[in-house]
Amino acid sequence: MDSLARLSELAQRFLVERPKELERPSGFVQRTTAQLDGPTFVQMCVLGWMNNASASYSQLNHVVATLDLHVRNQAIEERFGPASSKLLRHLLEEAAGQLLQGQAVETPLFEHFPGGVFLQDGSVISLPTELSTSWRGSGGGAGASESGVRIQARWEMRCGGLHGLWLQDARSSERQGPAKDSPYPEDSLRIVDTAYLSYADMRAASQSRHFWITGVKADMLFSDQQGRLWNLTEWLRSLPADEQVVEVWVRAGKRDQVPVRLIALRLPKEVLQRRKKRAKREVERRPRSKGVQRCGRRAKRGSGHQPRKRAWPSPQGECEQTEAIRVAAGADQCREPRALRSTSRGAHALALANRAILEALQAGRQD
């Protein structure tokens, strides 16, 4: 009942009271006689798009009608603009900072952390390109949206409470912003991925009674109790095959040398086989390389004819051929030659450079 009362209070606050307080500072309402005011507009957007994310103006008008207001579709369309965007964004950022908490979970494992057990992570959501001035995207290939928002949440597992929801540009790093700067309570445990913790963060947290659990990277360097420097992959391979669980104290990092407890569990063979099959399928789905690109037209299969060679202009070709032979001279001649992937002089010179590499390697093998 307390949770329902809290939700009812927040709904009244952010659907009625705050929109009324922000409608004039945001510039959304300039006349007291406006029918489609801040609360009505916010309720229309939230309730209408919550039911149908692609609702049209006519469908939004049906929602407005349930609020005892009758307007034209054109009036709804005219209300969307910079002022309405400012109003909704301010409400979103303010509502995201509210604390929601449920009933406490009695678990003996959590009793060792009276400050709470926090699980923090984030995700990136693509937005329409028109919002790129407000929410910058994280880049990507052709066709990727230029706008996006990174949402980070901090969930307290002991009491089931949401202790933080932060919004920032998609291109912003997880290690920057309010989600990183918001402190954890003392005697608390946080469970995060490797992007949230550097070696300096680990040392500072351990010295201030802030506990943490995170994954490790395969190339992590650490020193054992004898002072020997190990790579994590090499160390795991050196362990006995019958050892299922490993728990040792090491000093993580090559320079920082942070004391940590390293725990490793050997996976069952069935799990390993499934992962190998999945990795093999992912590799097979990748587009295959085109290999060496030859100049001129290719002969049809089975015709027995060699492809005809094309002549390239010599002034530009001499420079490209010299550069290509220098690249080939440093290559291992026992390996198959590979075509150059890119060049600043265009496809014309790229084809000639590839041919020069082939000729240089073939001449070296014959000698």
Side-chain angles (χ1 to χ4, degrees):
M1 296 299 294
D2 294 339
S3 300
L4 294 178
R6 176 62 174 164
L7 288 175
S8 177
E9 179 184 349
L10 291 176
Q12 177 70 18
R13 175 66 173 168
F14 291 104
L15 294 180
V16 180
E17 297 174 2
R18 285 300 288 164
K20 193 65 178 178
E21 297 172 0
L22 296 173
E23 61 180 9
R24 283 189 175 274
S26 63
F28 182 76
V29 171
Q30 299 179 357
R31 295 179 293 116
T32 56
T33 58
Q35 291 183 320
L36 195 59
D37 57 0
T40 305
F41 180 81
V42 171
Q43 295 174 37
M44 176 195 70
C45 294
V46 173
L47 300 178
W49 282 328
M50 184 171 61
N51 182 47
N52 182 8
S54 58
S56 61
Y57 291 128
S58 299
Q59 293 170 324
L60 292 177
N61 203 345
H62 289 298
V63 180
V64 174
T66 62
L67 302 175
D68 295 331
L69 180 63
H70 300 280
V71 296
R72 296 174 297 133
N73 293 346
Q74 184 179 359
I76 297 178
E77 181 181 2
E78 292 175 352
R79 301 302 284 168
F80 286 93
S84 61
S85 177
K86 184 179 180 180
L87 171 65
L88 292 175
R89 176 171 181 173
H90 192 97
L91 286 173
L92 177 62
E93 293 178 345
E94 187 174 336
Q98 297 300 310
L99 170 64
L100 297 178
Q101 189 168 356
Q103 297 180 354
V105 178
E106 298 296 336
T107 303
L109 183 62
F110 291 164
E111 294 178 357
H112 301 282
F113 308 101
V117 179
F118 295 91
L119 178 64
Q120 181 169 334
D121 204 352
S123 180
V124 174
I125 300 177
S126 298
L127 299 177
T129 306
E130 292 77 9
L131 299 176
S132 59
T133 56
S134 301
W135 302 101
R136 297 181 300 172
S138 56
S145 177
E146 298 179 2
S147 177
V149 57
R150 180 183 297 277
I151 302 178
Q152 298 194 60
R154 183 181 296 178
W155 182 261
E156 206 284 302
M157 301 175 63
R158 184 173 182 177
C159 299
L162 185 64
H163 284 243
L165 193 64
W166 299 276
L167 309 178
Q168 57 188 141
D169 293 335
R171 68 174 57 186
S172 300
S173 173
E174 293 178 340
R175 295 183 48 78
Q176 299 176 353
K180 178 69 169 55
D181 300 334
S182 300
Y184 287 86
E186 191 172 314
D187 293 326
S188 63
L189 170 67
R190 52 175 156 169
I191 305 174
V192 295
D193 58 27
T194 56
Y196 288 93
L197 283 175
S198 64
Y199 290 135
D201 297 331
M202 295 178 186
R203 184 185 300 277
S206 301
Q207 294 176 351
S208 59
R209 297 189 60 81
H210 292 81
F211 305 96
W212 47 268
I213 295 178
T214 186
V216 294
K217 298 181 179 180
D219 58 349
M220 186 189 76
L221 299 177
F222 64 91
S223 300
D224 57 14
Q225 296 180 355
Q226 289 74 29
R228 180 179 176 182
L229 187 64
W230 284 92
N231 177 282
L232 179 62
T233 304
E234 298 175 354
W235 178 75
L236 291 175
R237 289 175 179 174
S238 66
L239 299 177
D242 57 347
E243 196 166 3
Q244 301 297 322
V245 181
V246 180
E247 183 177 350
V248 294
W249 280 94
V250 299
R251 291 186 173 272
K254 187 175 181 180
R255 298 180 180 178
D256 296 286
Q257 297 287 298
V258 182
V260 298
R261 184 164 62 177
L262 180 61
I263 302 175
L265 305 176
R266 188 177 297 275
L267 294 177
K269 294 183 179 180
E270 304 81 42
V271 178
L272 292 176
Q273 291 177 357
R274 288 198 302 266
R275 291 189 176 183
K276 288 181 180 180
K277 290 182 180 179
R278 182 169 65 249
K280 183 178 180 181
R281 289 196 300 267
E282 292 176 356
V283 172
E284 292 177 350
R285 284 198 298 264
R286 295 176 182 174
R288 296 183 178 180
S289 175
K290 295 182 180 180
V292 177
Q293 303 296 312
R294 290 185 170 86
C295 304
R297 299 173 57 186
R298 295 185 179 181
K300 297 182 179 180
R301 294 183 177 180
S303 61
H305 296 287
Q306 296 293 332
R308 292 180 296 178
K309 297 182 179 180
R310 299 177 59 183
W312 302 98
S314 56
Q316 184 180 7
E318 292 177 357
C319 177
E320 287 293 335
Q321 186 174 6
T322 304
E323 181 180 358
I325 292 177
R326 287 202 304 268
V327 175
D332 185 1
Q333 298 190 7
C334 296
R335 299 178 182 177
E336 291 297 326
R338 294 184 178 181
L340 296 180
R341 293 300 178 189
S342 62
T343 178
S344 60
R345 299 175 179 84
H348 177 91
L350 176 62
L352 181 60
N354 290 331
R355 190 174 107 183
I357 291 177
L358 287 176
E359 294 176 352
L361 292 179
Q362 291 174 359
R365 290 177 179 177
Q366 293 175 0
D367 296 341

